[in-house]
């Protein structure tokens, strides 16, 4: 195409020739355009829809198309605890083998890319912290080993992470980060690091080993992320720029001419670097805000970065069912089943949920059990029809939510009036760590909402979305991040709490009019609430590489018996029977019936509490020690009261501890559990008192017990005996000698003039067998002292 300047500079004769040929070129252009449209029109139907090419054409196109680059995605759930490192290593090996097999089949000589997406938890208080050093170091060494040399490992960090989770990130060959995400505070998982003046040499050596092996991030920056006392200086010399620790700067100056120096990290706190800073310092290769941008950055198909759960683990699956309302008993039984199956090695827990909700506190407790499982266990909720209220909360607490396209995820029916403009308590549940903001006593819904907020921080999810399942008055909007394009469902209150609140643009209207949350499976997947939709359960098993439906774990008679024994009513009854048995044994020594009944009752009590996971050896030892102290008070050291009071306190304390999972209550829910535990013990004490009074009155007259328990003498006989004791005269014993037949401390019995008499030692306690002499005798009071 001729520019204006070239046209002016053209000779006049040439300009005339070009002017005459212009119509010819225009006509030729129109003909070519019409021909192309005519040819392309055969590819469209009368409706204007592009027709599918025939099979032969598709095959030819596939033959001529070059195969795309090979890549795979493996999620790394943080924190890295338990045996998560071993599970991840097995997963990485399976994915590696699949990638290498595909590369050989395609004849590709390039190394496939294995992307590790570090899935962090949301909230400033967590952010991936809590990883164990030994597990993180084990995973990092595996990533730098020969086993992973045939694939290129790439760490994708979409959100801020801290703690020892940093170690496997720097063990990857390349790092891709969100520009606003941060990485650092590697020593956050080391307790007392500030007081100790840094981490141990073992931890520091491990970080240095990985940094030197991979050499993708300057060693000085790695040390600064770990050691709060480190100072990092960026130095420019004739050989280029580099990062040095303060202690390495002087030797470097002696051997090089320094052009410029700049302090990058000042001592006093562990360093954190954003994605932008990482790119500036050279250890972050690319920016990416989501998986599509990662795919574009690596030049691989987006489908290659879709998570293939069939390769993610050597699954040992189980299946639980939630049908009908979630009651405290149902939640407790499911919690017991989950704990039992985890001990048996289960690492894939499926929950098939068809429920309209239930008790808010029980649902929240079950959701917290699922939310606190470590990264080695995958929880999958499957909703084929409906999950409402507490059941929806349990589904959202799982790692993955899979729904039927027409299934419903909805909030509970309204349990309270909608909040007024000056009553934001339901819109913004109080912080569970702030004692001044605890919900009012007896408000179970608010107590559940407090627990939900803690759960949301653990799972990295919107607390307002989780809370909306229990409280339909919370309005949920769809927000879009103007910087990254990320979609998130939140309330206005949660958005205002975020430090980047100005970057979120809210949709004009709530997600559902009226505030009541209701999402179909299709909509839930579109909004990122559900991870997948399936038409039936068979597709679900195929999705996770399971050959058949997992074994259904259900409650049996033993578990139901345990739940019954652990219920407050039966627990109170067992304690009453146990104490009553002890009382009978004291009143009928040598028979053993009371001791046997007490032993069985307390054994059932502690056994049920142990299987209910609220009691252990500590509670049993405290109880046994308390009983021993009481026996010492009764039979060995009578009259002092220290062992008796201490033993009674230990017994009560052990019974209270056996009914709860904590020592000191810190939340409103724990305060309620403590009240229930105290009610059980107090009720048992009141019942035992009533039983004692009844036993004292009626036991001597009972058909069986009247033969083994002496009936007290009649009232007239007791009055006559007391009168005779008052008139008793032992003055004739004064001056006579005898022998103490029992220890006199100070009272006891002595044999004086062949007569067994109750005596009192005058000056000091006397041992059994001591020779004594009667000093004085007044009525029935005989005072003695040791001879000599």
């Amino acid at each position: 195409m001729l520019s204006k300047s070239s046209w002016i500079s053209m000779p006049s004769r040439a300009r005339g020739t070009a002017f005459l040929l212009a119509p010819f070129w225009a006509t030729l252009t129109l003909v070519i355009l019409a021909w192309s449209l005519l040819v392309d029109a055969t590819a469209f139907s009368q409706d204007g829809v592009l027709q599918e090419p025939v099979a032969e054409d598709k095959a030819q196109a596939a033959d001529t198309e070059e195969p795309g680059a090979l890549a795979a995605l493996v999620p790394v759930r943080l924190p890295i605890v338990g045996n998560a490192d071993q599970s991840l290593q097995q997963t990485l090996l399976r994915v590696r083998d699949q990638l290498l097999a595909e590369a050989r089949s395609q004849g590709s000589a390039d190394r496939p890319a294995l992307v590790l997406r570090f899935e962090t938890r949301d909230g400033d208080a967590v952010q991936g912290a809590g990883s164990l050093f030994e597990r993180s170091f084990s995973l990092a060494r595996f990533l730098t080993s020969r086993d992973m040399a045939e694939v290129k490992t790439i760490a994708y960090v979409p959100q801020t992470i801290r703690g020892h989770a940093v170690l496997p990130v720097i063990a990857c060959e390349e790092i891709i980060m969100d520009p606003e995400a941060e990485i650092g505070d590697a020593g956050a998982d080391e307790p007392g690091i500030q007081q100790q003046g840094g981490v141990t040499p073992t931890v520091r050596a491990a970080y240095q080993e990985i940094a030197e092996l991979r050499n993708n991030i300057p060693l000085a920056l790695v040390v600064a992320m770990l050691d709060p006392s480190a100072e990092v200086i960026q130095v420019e010399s004739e050989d280029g720029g580099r990062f040095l620790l303060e202690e390495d700067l002087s030797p470097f100056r002696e051997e090089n001419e320094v052009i410029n120096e700049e302090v990058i990290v000042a001592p006093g706190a562990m360093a954190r670097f954003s994605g932008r800073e990482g790119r500036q310092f050279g250890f972050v290769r690319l920016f990416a805000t989501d998986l599509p941008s990662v795919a574009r950055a690596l030049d691989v198909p987006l489908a290659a970065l879709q998570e293939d759960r069939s390769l993610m683990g050597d699954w040992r699956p189980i299946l639980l069912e939630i049908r009908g309302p979630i009651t405290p008993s149902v939640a407790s039984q499911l919690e017991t089943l989950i704990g039992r199956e985890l001990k048996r090695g289960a690492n894939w827990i499926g929950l098939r949920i068809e429920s309209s909700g239930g008790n808010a506190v029980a649902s929240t407790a079950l959701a917290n059990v699922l939310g606190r499982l470590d990264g080695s266990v995958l929880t999958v909720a499957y909703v084929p029809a409906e999950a409402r209220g507490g059941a929806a909360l349990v589904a959202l607490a799982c790692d993955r939510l899979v729904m039927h396209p027409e299934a419903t995820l909805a909030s509970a029916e309204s349990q309270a009036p909608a909040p007024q403009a000056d009553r934001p308590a339901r819109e913004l549940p109080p912080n569970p760590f702030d004692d001044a903001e605890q919900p009012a006593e007896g408000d179970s819904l608010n107590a559940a909402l407090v627990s939900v907020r803690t759960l949301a921080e653990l799972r990295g999810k919107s607390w307002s979305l989780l809370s909306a399942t229990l409280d339909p008055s919370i309005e949920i909007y769809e927000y879009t991040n103007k910087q990254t394009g990320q979609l998130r469902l939140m309330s206005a209150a949660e958005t205002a709490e975020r430090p980047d609140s100005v970057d979120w643009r809210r949709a004009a209207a709530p997600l559902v009019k009226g505030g009541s949350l209701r999402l179909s499976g299709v909509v839930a997947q579109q909004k990122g609430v559900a991870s997948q939709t399936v038409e039936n359960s068979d597709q679900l098993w195929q999705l996770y590489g399971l050959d058949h439906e997992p074994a259904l774990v259900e409650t049996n008679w033993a578990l139901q018996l345990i739940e019954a024994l652990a219920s407050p009513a039966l627990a109170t009854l067992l304690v009453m029977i146990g104490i009553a048995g002890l009382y009978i044994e004291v009143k009928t020594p040598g028979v053993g019936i009371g001791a046997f009944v007490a032993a069985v009752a307390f054994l059932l009590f502690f056994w049920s509490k142990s299987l209910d996971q609220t009691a252990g050896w500590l509670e049993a030892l405290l109880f046994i020690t308390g009983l021993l102290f009481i026996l010492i008070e009764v039979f060995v050291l009578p009259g002092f009261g220290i062992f008796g009071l201490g033993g009674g306190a230990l017994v009560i304390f052990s019974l209270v501890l056996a009914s709860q999972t904590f020592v000191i209550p810190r939340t409103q829910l724990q305060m309620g559990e403590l009240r229930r535990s105290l009610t059980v013990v107090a009720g048992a004490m009141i019942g035992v008192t009533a039983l004692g009074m009844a036993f004292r009155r009626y036991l001597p007259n009972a058909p069986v017990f009247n033969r083994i328990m002496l009936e007290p003498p009649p009232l007239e006989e007791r009055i006559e005996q007391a009168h005779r004791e008052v008139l008793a005269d032992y003055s004739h014993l004064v001056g006579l000698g005898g022998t103490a037949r029992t220890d006199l401390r100070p009272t006891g019995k002595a044999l004086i003039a062949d007569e067994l008499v109750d005596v009192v030692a005058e000056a000091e306690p006397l041992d059994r067998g001591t020779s004594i002499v009667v000093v004085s005798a007044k009525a029935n009071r005989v005072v003695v002292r040791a001879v000599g």
Side-chain angles (χ1 to χ4, degrees):
M1 183 176 179
L2 293 175
S3 64
K4 182 178 180 180
S5 58
S6 60
W7 175 266
I8 295 174
S9 60
M10 186 183 297
S12 59
R13 185 175 180 179
R15 287 200 302 267
T17 303
F19 183 81
L20 293 175
L21 291 178
F24 171 78
W25 292 117
T27 303
L28 180 61
T29 302
L30 292 175
V31 170
I32 293 174
L33 180 61
W35 174 258
S36 63
L37 291 176
L38 180 63
V39 172
D40 291 343
T42 59
F44 290 83
S45 67
Q46 295 178 355
D47 297 331
V49 180
L50 184 64
Q51 296 296 305
E52 183 73 9
V54 296
E56 295 180 356
D57 295 336
K58 293 173 67 176
Q60 293 176 0
D63 292 338
T64 57
E65 183 180 356
E66 295 184 0
L70 292 176
L73 175 73
V74 173
V76 180
R77 296 182 57 217
L78 304 179
I80 303 173
V81 294
N83 63 343
D85 59 320
Q86 300 296 325
S87 178
L88 278 169
Q89 290 178 25
Q90 296 300 319
T91 298
L92 291 170
L93 288 175
R94 281 191 291 270
V95 177
R96 179 207 64 179
D97 293 342
Q98 185 188 56
L99 285 174
L100 294 179
E102 293 180 5
R104 286 192 294 269
S105 65
Q106 296 182 8
S108 174
D110 297 332
R111 295 168 65 206
L114 202 161
V115 180
L116 284 77
R117 180 178 63 193
F118 288 81
E119 299 180 343
T120 64
R121 300 171 177 177
D122 202 6
D124 295 336
V126 184
Q127 293 180 338
S131 296
L132 298 178
F133 166 71
E134 294 79 6
R135 300 302 182 185
S136 302
F137 185 43
S138 171
L139 179 58
R141 296 193 70 176
F142 176 77
L143 292 172
T144 57
S145 67
R146 293 183 179 180
D147 292 333
M148 300 301 292
E150 295 181 89
V151 294
K152 180 187 294 185
T153 54
I154 301 172
Y156 171 43
V157 183
Q159 293 174 301
T160 296
I161 63 173
R162 52 200 293 264
H164 288 311
V166 171
L167 195 51
V169 172
I170 65 178
C172 295
E173 296 180 45
E174 296 180 359
I175 300 176
I176 299 177
M177 290 183 64
D178 185 289
E180 305 302 328
E182 292 183 337
I183 181 174
D185 281 355
D189 294 329
E190 293 293 319
I193 186 172
Q194 296 288 353
Q195 292 76 13
Q196 297 172 2
V199 295
T200 62
T202 301
V203 175
R204 180 163 177 160
Y207 275 80
Q208 291 177 343
E209 175 187 339
I210 298 301
E212 291 172 353
L213 281 173
R214 191 53 75 194
N215 198 28
N216 61 353
I217 178 171
L219 179 59
L221 298 182
V222 173
V223 174
M225 288 191 287
L226 184 68
D227 190 346
S229 63
E231 181 179 1
V232 180
I233 298 96
Q234 186 176 14
V235 179
E236 293 184 14
S237 64
E238 294 179 351
D239 297 334
R242 64 185 63 197
F243 298 92
L244 298 174
L245 294 171
E246 192 276 333
E247 57 264 27
D248 299 329
L249 183 59
S250 297
F252 181 80
R253 287 173 177 164
E254 295 175 358
E255 299 179 1
N256 300 272
E257 182 179 351
V258 176
I259 301 175
N260 186 33
E261 298 178 9
E262 182 182 358
V263 176
I264 299 300
V265 178
M270 290 174 286
R272 298 174 68 172
F273 302 104
S274 67
R276 299 185 187 279
E277 292 173 327
R279 184 68 180 276
Q280 176 185 350
F281 297 151
F283 64 84
V284 172
R285 177 193 170 193
L286 298 167
F287 290 155
T289 58
D290 50 21
L291 279 181
S293 55
V294 174
R296 290 192 298 269
L298 299 178
D299 194 22
V300 299
L302 178 60
L305 298 182
Q306 297 303 310
E307 185 178 341
D308 186 359
R309 296 305 302 184
S310 64
L311 297 171
M312 291 301 108
D314 183 14
W315 300 128
R316 295 180 291 278
I318 63 167
L319 181 64
L320 303 172
E321 280 193 337
I322 301 179
R323 294 181 181 272
I326 300 178
T327 62
S329 176
V330 170
S332 178
Q333 291 178 6
L334 289 173
E335 181 179 352
T336 302
L337 289 175
I338 291 172
R340 186 186 69 186
E341 295 302 324
L342 289 177
K343 292 180 180 179
R344 294 179 177 178
N347 61 1
W348 192 98
I349 300 177
L351 281 88
R352 184 157 49 201
I353 303 175
E354 296 185 39
S355 172
S356 59
N359 183 277
V361 175
S363 302
T364 306
L366 178 59
N368 274 280
V369 170
L370 296 168
R372 295 178 185 276
L373 297 179
D374 63 53
S376 62
V377 180
L378 180 70
T379 54
V380 179
Y382 172 48
V383 181
E386 179 187 54
R388 183 183 293 275
L393 175 63
V394 172
L396 291 173
C398 294
D399 298 318
R400 300 288 184 269
L401 171 57
V402 181
M403 300 177 63
H404 187 277
E406 298 179 0
T408 302
L409 190 75
S411 58
E413 299 295 338
S414 180
Q415 301 179 21
Q420 303 299 322
D422 58 347
R423 182 174 163 257
R426 296 286 171 84
E427 180 72 1
L428 178 58
N431 190 319
F433 303 104
D434 186 357
D435 294 336
E437 294 287 342
Q438 292 298 325
E441 182 176 348
D443 190 346
S444 60
L445 180 57
N446 264 354
L449 292 178
V450 171
S451 184
V452 166
R453 182 156 183 168
T454 305
L455 172 65
E457 292 178 350
L458 285 173
R459 304 305 294 165
K461 297 184 178 181
S462 164
W463 64 255
S464 52
L465 176 62
L466 297 185
S467 300
T469 61
L470 301 179
D471 186 357
S473 65
I474 298 178
E475 289 191 340
I476 301 298
Y477 292 82
E478 182 177 331
Y479 285 83
T480 305
N481 192 299
K482 294 181 288 186
Q483 303 295 330
T484 64
Q486 179 186 359
L487 297 179
R488 191 176 178 90
L489 303 181
M490 299 181 290
S491 65
E494 181 177 3
T495 309
E497 290 180 353
R498 297 181 64 90
D500 58 347
S501 58
V502 295
D503 295 333
W504 293 90
R505 182 175 63 251
R506 191 178 78 177
L511 186 62
V512 178
K513 292 183 178 180
S516 180
L517 182 67
R518 187 179 181 87
L519 302 175
S520 67
V522 174
V523 175
Q525 184 181 16
Q526 292 174 350
K527 305 301 181 183
V529 177
S531 57
Q532 202 81 23
T533 56
V534 294
E535 294 290 340
N536 50 56
S537 57
D538 290 336
Q539 293 184 6
L540 174 63
W541 317 139
Q542 295 173 7
L543 181 65
Y544 289 93
L546 303 178
D547 298 333
H548 51 80
E549 180 174 324
L552 180 62
V553 180
E554 297 180 292
T555 58
N556 51 26
W557 67 268
L559 183 59
Q560 293 174 352
L561 175 61
I562 293 169
E563 293 295 329
L565 292 175
S567 64
L570 285 181
T572 303
L573 181 60
L574 286 175
V575 174
M576 287 177 55
I577 294 174
I579 298 178
L582 293 176
Y583 177 81
I584 294 174
E585 182 64 24
V586 171
K587 290 295 184 181
T588 59
V591 178
I593 295 179
F596 177 78
V597 172
V600 172
F602 284 122
L603 181 63
L604 287 175
F605 175 80
F606 282 102
W607 176 67
S608 64
K609 294 300 182 181
S610 174
L611 294 180
D612 201 34
Q613 300 183 4
T614 59
W617 284 108
L618 173 63
E619 289 78 5
L621 288 174
L622 288 175
F623 180 79
I624 295 173
T625 304
L627 286 182
L628 290 176
F629 284 175
I630 294 174
L631 293 176
I632 291 173
E633 175 71 22
V634 173
F635 297 106
V636 181
L637 298 174
F640 289 88
I642 296 178
F643 280 94
L645 293 176
L650 285 178
V651 168
I652 294 175
F653 188 55
S654 66
L655 295 176
V656 172
L657 284 183
S659 302
Q660 58 194 32
T661 57
F662 55 88
V663 178
I664 300 176
R666 300 185 182 277
T667 65
Q668 189 68 23
L669 290 176
Q670 291 179 347
M671 284 297 298
E673 190 173 347
L674 176 61
R675 285 193 294 270
R676 287 191 294 272
S677 302
L678 292 175
T679 301
V680 169
V681 177
M685 295 301 178
I686 295 173
V688 166
T689 303
L691 284 175
M693 296 175 63
F695 286 166
R696 185 178 181 85
R697 180 176 181 85
Y698 299 108
L699 196 61
N701 300 321
V704 177
F705 289 98
N706 61 356
R707 299 180 182 179
I708 60 178
M709 184 175 181
L710 295 178
E711 182 180 0
L715 179 61
E716 297 79 4
E717 184 177 343
R718 283 181 289 176
I719 294 174
E720 179 64 23
Q721 182 180 357
H723 182 68
R724 287 198 304 268
E725 290 179 353
V726 171
L727 297 178
D729 185 10
Y730 292 101
S731 60
H732 64 282
L733 298 178
V734 176
L736 298 180
T739 304
R741 301 304 298 270
T742 65
D743 293 336
L744 305 183
R745 307 198 183 283
T747 62
K749 292 184 180 295
L751 184 63
I752 304 171
D754 297 329
E755 186 176 357
L756 193 63
V757 183
D758 290 328
V759 298
V760 179
E762 181 185 40
E764 59 184 5
L766 302 177
D767 296 331
R768 179 181 179 182
T770 303
S771 297
I772 60 172
V773 61
V774 178
V775 177
S776 64
K778 185 176 181 181
N780 63 345
R781 176 179 173 83
V782 179
V783 181
V784 300
R785 68 164 63 130
V787 175

